Amino acid sequence: MVIKEKIEIEGIPVEVHRKRMKNVYLRVLPDATLRVSAPERVSNDYIIEYVTSNLDWVKQTQERILKNPPKPKIMYKNGEVHKIWGEEYKIQLITNDTIKHAFYDADESIVYLPVRRRSTVNEREKALFELYRSEMKRNIDCFLNKCVPIVGEQPKEIKFRNMKNWGNCRRNKTITLNIKLASKPPICTEYVLIHELCHILEFNHSPRFKALMDGFCPNWREIKKLLNESDD
């Protein structure tokens, strides 16, 4: 049995949970709440002394949590906001046997995900990611027509995958692009494509490679920062 009570120590609310245990434990929870778990017979005076002796750590931890609150879990549910080419769209789930693929309405800022009535998070994510894949394939020629003349190199093949990095280039000139680039502003795809085309000229990230990037995409560092910013 757990006996719960609330006390205040130097202006900080503290949840005290008394139960059968041997030692006192102090935790700052993900919502920055302070909780003390203690044996049933430990006095409030001891708890106050224990918390006070750790008060600097408590305040630092709470401040860090409040500055960087935990990200809500992505559920791909109705009303949840996701981005397509850097623009925000609200998800609308639809169950329609005649519609097989996700699509979006730019005027209404809605992305429609066709899924079964009791779909899982993975199924909804897959529907959105297939839309990203479709967008990358549909627009890749435009990106190539802009970036290839800048670098002066032509890839042998372009592939699309959901992967950890934004792109890669093999020695046979095959370039793979992350399908999630379709969620970012188009300039990000241009930067990644130029980056991978430069690897045809210089396979590693040597000073020569960076000099190539500086020449072909002078603001690449700013775009890289934009690309890696979290949208969550």
Side-chain angles (χ1 to χ4, degrees):
M1 179 178 177
V2 179
I3 302 173
K4 301 178 182 180
E5 63 176 309
K6 292 185 178 181
I7 62 176
E8 189 172 292
I9 301 174
E10 295 196 18
I12 299 177
V14 182
E15 293 182 2
V16 180
H17 289 193
R18 298 180 187 277
K19 50 189 173 181
R20 290 184 179 180
M21 57 191 305
K22 293 182 178 180
N23 301 308
V24 176
Y25 295 97
L26 176 64
R27 286 195 301 158
V28 179
L29 302 180
D31 63 355
T33 300
L34 182 60
R35 178 181 295 174
V36 175
S37 299
E40 296 170 341
R41 295 185 179 182
V42 168
S43 68
N44 275 5
D45 287 342
Y46 182 88
I47 291 174
I48 291 170
E49 181 182 350
Y50 184 82
V51 172
T52 301
S53 66
N54 290 280
L55 210 54
D56 288 342
W57 173 81
V58 168
K59 290 180 178 179
Q60 290 173 5
T61 304
Q62 288 181 322
E63 183 179 0
R64 185 175 67 250
I65 290 174
L66 293 173
K67 284 184 177 179
N68 301 282
K71 298 175 182 178
K73 189 175 181 180
I74 300 174
M75 301 299 292
Y76 304 96
K77 60 184 179 180
N78 284 332
E80 193 173 88
V81 175
H82 289 264
K83 291 186 177 181
I84 301 174
W85 299 120
E87 300 295 330
E88 291 188 345
Y89 289 80
K90 288 185 178 180
I91 282 182
Q92 178 65 56
L93 304 178
I94 55 175
T95 53
N96 189 321
D97 292 338
T98 63
I99 299 176
K100 301 297 183 182
H101 304 288
F103 64 98
Y104 62 97
D105 186 327
D107 294 330
E108 298 293 332
S109 297
I110 297 176
V111 57
Y112 296 94
L113 302 185
V115 291
R116 62 192 182 94
R117 192 173 299 279
R118 294 185 178 180
S119 61
T120 65
V121 173
N122 287 341
E123 287 171 337
R124 298 192 293 271
E125 179 187 66
K126 182 179 179 181
L128 180 62
F129 281 17
E130 284 306 310
L131 174 62
Y132 287 160
R133 186 187 303 276
S134 175
E135 285 295 297
M136 290 298 295
K137 288 182 177 180
R138 186 171 68 87
N139 290 281
I140 189 59
D141 284 345
C142 292
F143 289 120
L144 285 170
N145 289 339
K146 182 172 184 178
C147 298
V148 166
I150 292 174
V151 181
E153 290 291 336
Q154 180 78 39
K156 176 184 176 182
E157 184 181 4
I158 297 285
K159 296 182 178 180
F160 306 95
R161 285 181 53 200
N162 177 24
M163 53 189 184
K164 292 183 178 180
N165 53 338
W166 292 112
N168 62 54
C169 178
R170 295 186 177 276
R171 291 189 181 275
N172 66 357
K173 298 185 180 183
T174 296
I175 289 175
T176 304
L177 298 177
N178 192 325
I179 59 173
K180 291 193 291 290
L181 282 168
S183 70
K184 300 290 185 175
I187 194 173
C188 293
T189 299
E190 294 173 12
Y191 152 70
V192 173
L193 189 51
I194 289 174
H195 180 110
E196 302 310 331
L197 289 170
C198 282
H199 276 313
I200 296 175
L201 298 169
E202 183 71 14
F203 199 67
N204 54 34
H205 292 100
S206 65
R208 179 173 179 259
F209 174 84
K210 292 180 180 178
L212 290 170
M213 288 297 298
D214 288 338
F216 297 139
C217 186
N219 60 335
W220 67 269
R221 291 174 179 84
E222 290 79 9
I223 303 174
K224 181 179 179 180
K225 183 178 179 181
L226 172 66
L227 175 61
N228 292 316
E229 284 179 353
S230 173
D231 294 325
D232 301 333

